[in-house]
Amino acid sequence: MEEIENTYASLRAQIDATEAQLAGLKRELEIAEQAAVQARAQDHPNPTATVRNKGNETRRWPLLDEEYRRYGRQMIVPQLGLQGQLKLKSARVLIVGAGGLGCPAAQYLAGAGVGTLGLVDGDTVESSNLHRQVLHRTKNVGKFKVDSAIEYLQELNPHSTYIAHRAHLAPQDAADIFKDYDIILDCTDNPATRYLISDTAVLLRKPLVSASALRTEGQLMVLNNPPRPVGDNSGGPCYRCVFPRPPPANSILSCADGGILGPVVGTMGVLQALEAIKVITAAEDDIKPPSLHIFSAYSSPLFRTIKLRSRRSNCAVCSAEASVTLDTVRSGSTDYVFFCGTVSPEKLLSPEERISPSDYRARYPQVSSVEPIKAVEKRPTIIDVREKVQFDICNLDNSINIPISKILASSGNRKPENGDVADVLPPWVPADIVSPESTDPIYVVCRLGNDSQIAVKKMKELGLDRGGERVVADIQGGLRAWRAQVDPEWPQY
């Protein structure tokens, strides 16, 4: 039965994709017919020139009556006008990522009348997306994000054509997807994909609007604009020109780990749509020098702008010395995962220095319960190293909150030679575990089981394990594993 359902889903997806492509071709044909009529009208001016639509009816004007009503408020803006609206109608825009950035960007581009919108994303909608990914709705949880987004966009503006690419962007497919579009929006959240998108855009001479957001801050750039050939220094800089080297893999925070305010990522996505409209409708001599715009929701002013340099003379993709080509991208010779590094779970401790949540609960059955702790051989101290804002959301009973940021910022980092730890311990160490008489075990917990290992190692460096006499260990897998093994009602955030 499962195999039949999978086959059905696959066929349905292929049919949807084919229908979307057919609709796009029909739209292109209509646009081409209108362009031909307009070209003939320019060659032979006639105030009563007509436009023939696909219903074989003639019209005097290049837009439908409903389109004039729909787009009228923006067409009277001097920077856009009728010609700008016609450029939007004939434009093909690709949005890579249908999440927090891609949703508002797609929403405003569709609303503005962009003729063809393509969306690339292999993820499905989760309930944790809904506070910021505004095209998705509760009823669409579990559906492909691109399908959920297009469902909304079709209701918003039926005049546009929407094309779904239901997969994560892969190097072997990127060029084949990008070639059919005029401008690319990078709405992704990981460095490897950002470099892939930028490289492909440069090699195919496509302008790129790139943005990012985390917590309360965001960044925005228009890259490869104007999109000159590789080696032409008059072209706009690419992502590699701005960031020749990626940040260390372990320094990258995702929204799941660092958090995000919905209006922050929404602001950056709306600005991406705005920049895309400016690129589509602007004349080449109106192109502004490249800049990096930095948004900070809790700063004043909210925005800062940093001017960017032109293309780097030694850039790996857009300079005359380029080593990245379409062939190296397609073949995998340009390894983006290797270039950016991978983030793997910390493995700093031996198995003897770790305990699973289920084993911990079995060893201390009354710890972290609402009942008083019964007599056990030794009473454990639980140290929770999440930041206070997370600790306040949910925490184990009787646990102590010492944020990992405070631990890493401390100066005490050496073992005492005479066994007296009090003189070298940093102020974050609780006084009740410093006492020489105390040998009760210390267990450290965090969200996923990575920071807790770092904290355990730091505590042992400080001599809190008393040369092995005291147990200092972490709860393996953190509070996510605690939910899976001990308490299924534990809040999952």
Side-chain angles (χ1 to χ4, degrees):
M1 183 63 184
E2 183 178 352
E3 183 177 352
I4 294 174
E5 291 179 351
N6 290 337
T7 301
Y8 169 80
S10 176
L11 291 172
R12 183 71 261 174
Q14 293 179 46
I15 291 171
D16 290 344
T18 303
E19 289 177 344
Q21 292 175 357
L22 179 60
L25 291 172
K26 289 180 177 179
R27 187 68 175 177
E28 289 180 22
L29 177 61
E30 180 182 359
I31 292 170
E33 289 175 344
Q34 294 179 3
V37 171
Q38 292 170 17
R40 287 194 294 270
Q42 291 175 356
D43 293 338
H44 306 284
N46 183 346
T48 61
T50 59
V51 177
R52 186 174 299 276
N53 64 18
K54 62 184 178 181
N56 209 32
E57 299 174 353
T58 58
R59 291 181 290 107
R60 290 183 57 189
W61 313 111
L63 296 174
L64 300 173
D65 289 345
E66 201 278 331
E67 289 177 306
Y68 281 102
R69 290 192 295 272
R70 179 182 289 264
Y71 307 127
R73 299 298 188 274
Q74 67 187 33
M75 282 195 293
I76 62 177
V77 174
Q79 289 87 344
L80 193 73
L82 174 61
Q83 293 306 313
Q85 190 63 52
L86 292 174
K87 288 180 180 179
L88 288 174
K89 185 172 181 177
S90 62
R92 299 174 61 86
V93 179
L94 181 68
I95 298 175
V96 186
L101 293 167
C103 282
Q107 196 169 15
Y108 276 93
L109 289 173
V114 168
T116 301
L117 271 178
L119 288 90
V120 181
D121 202 310
D123 285 339
T124 56
V125 179
E126 300 177 1
S127 59
S128 62
N129 304 146
L130 300 178
H131 83 103
R132 66 192 184 280
Q133 299 181 15
V134 293
L135 291 184
H136 310 310
R137 288 165 286 184
T138 303
K139 70 174 186 178
N140 286 342
V141 168
K143 182 181 289 189
F144 273 111
K145 286 186 177 180
V146 291
D147 293 334
S148 172
I150 288 174
E151 178 183 309
Y152 181 102
L153 295 173
Q154 286 173 333
E155 295 179 4
L156 174 65
N157 190 351
H159 296 286
S160 297
T161 297
Y162 307 102
I163 301 175
H165 303 274
R166 301 175 185 86
H168 296 295
L169 189 69
Q172 63 269 24
D173 301 324
D176 291 333
I177 295 174
F178 282 27
K179 65 181 176 59
D180 295 326
Y181 296 91
D182 306 317
I183 181 171
I184 314 299
L185 271 64
D186 179 356
C187 299
T188 62
D189 61 0
N190 69 87
T193 306
R194 290 187 180 281
Y195 282 100
L196 167 61
I197 291 171
S198 176
D199 291 354
T200 308
V202 168
L203 296 170
L204 293 177
R205 297 179 62 180
K206 311 286 185 182
L208 171 65
V209 183
S210 177
S212 62
L214 183 68
R215 290 177 174 160
T216 63
E217 299 181 344
Q219 295 183 354
L220 173 74
M221 297 178 289
V222 179
L223 301 170
N224 196 41
N225 189 44
R228 300 284 190 242
V230 169
D232 187 340
N233 291 334
S234 65
C238 70
Y239 196 79
R240 286 183 187 265
C241 293
V242 182
F243 303 109
R245 288 285 178 269
N250 289 328
S251 70
I252 302 299
L253 276 179
S254 67
C255 291
D257 295 328
I260 182 69
L261 286 183
V264 171
V265 69
T267 297
M268 306 317 297
V270 170
L271 289 175
Q272 280 186 282
L274 175 60
E275 292 298 330
I277 290 172
K278 289 162 62 179
V279 171
I280 292 168
T281 60
E284 186 166 332
D285 54 3
D286 290 335
I287 296 176
K288 299 295 188 293
S291 299
L292 169 64
H293 304 285
I294 301 173
F295 172 76
S296 182
Y298 286 85
S299 295
S300 182
L302 293 173
F303 287 94
R304 292 182 294 125
T305 298
I306 300 173
K307 291 184 178 180
L308 298 177
R309 295 180 178 178
S310 57
R311 288 181 169 181
R312 286 180 176 266
S313 59
N314 61 346
C315 178
V317 68
C318 68
S319 72
E321 303 175 6
S323 58
V324 177
T325 66
L326 286 178
D327 287 338
T328 66
V329 173
R330 283 194 178 104
S331 66
S333 299
T334 301
D335 191 332
Y336 293 95
V337 174
F338 176 79
F339 177 66
C340 295
T342 57
V343 180
S344 57
E346 298 285 352
K347 295 182 179 179
L348 303 178
L349 305 179
S350 65
E352 293 75 23
E353 297 172 294
R354 315 194 73 186
I355 187 171
S356 70
S358 56
D359 288 345
Y360 176 89
R361 190 58 179 268
R363 185 175 299 179
Y364 307 103
Q366 298 302 323
V367 174
S368 302
S369 71
V370 295
E371 300 177 11
I373 300 175
K374 296 180 180 179
V376 291
E377 184 178 348
K378 291 184 178 180
R379 174 176 177 147
T381 297
I382 306 173
I383 296 178
D384 188 326
V385 295
R386 294 174 299 159
E387 297 302 314
K388 184 179 183 301
V389 67
Q390 296 190 46
F391 183 81
D392 289 344
I393 294 173
C394 54
N395 55 76
L396 297 175
D397 293 340
N398 306 308
S399 59
I400 302 170
N401 182 218
I402 306 176
I404 187 66
S405 58
K406 184 180 293 188
I407 294 174
L408 295 177
S410 62
S411 58
N413 59 1
R414 66 187 189 280
K415 287 186 177 181
E417 296 181 359
N418 58 1
D420 185 6
V421 300
D423 295 335
V424 297
L425 291 179
W428 58 261
V429 178
D432 57 352
I433 67 173
V434 177
S435 170
E437 297 82 25
S438 175
T439 58
D440 291 347
I442 301 172
Y443 291 97
V444 184
V445 69
C446 65
R447 189 179 181 191
L448 300 175
N450 296 330
D451 290 343
S452 58
Q453 295 183 71
I454 298 172
V456 167
K457 188 175 180 181
K458 182 75 171 179
M459 290 178 183
K460 288 193 171 185
E461 289 174 354
L462 293 172
L464 294 178
D465 63 337
R466 306 197 185 283
E469 295 181 8
R470 165 190 270 174
V471 172
V472 180
D474 91 310
I475 297 179
Q476 190 170 5
L479 293 170
R480 182 168 295 180
W482 184 273
R483 172 186 168 91
Q485 299 178 26
V486 176
D487 183 3
E489 296 183 359
W490 185 264
Q492 182 175 345
Y493 63 91

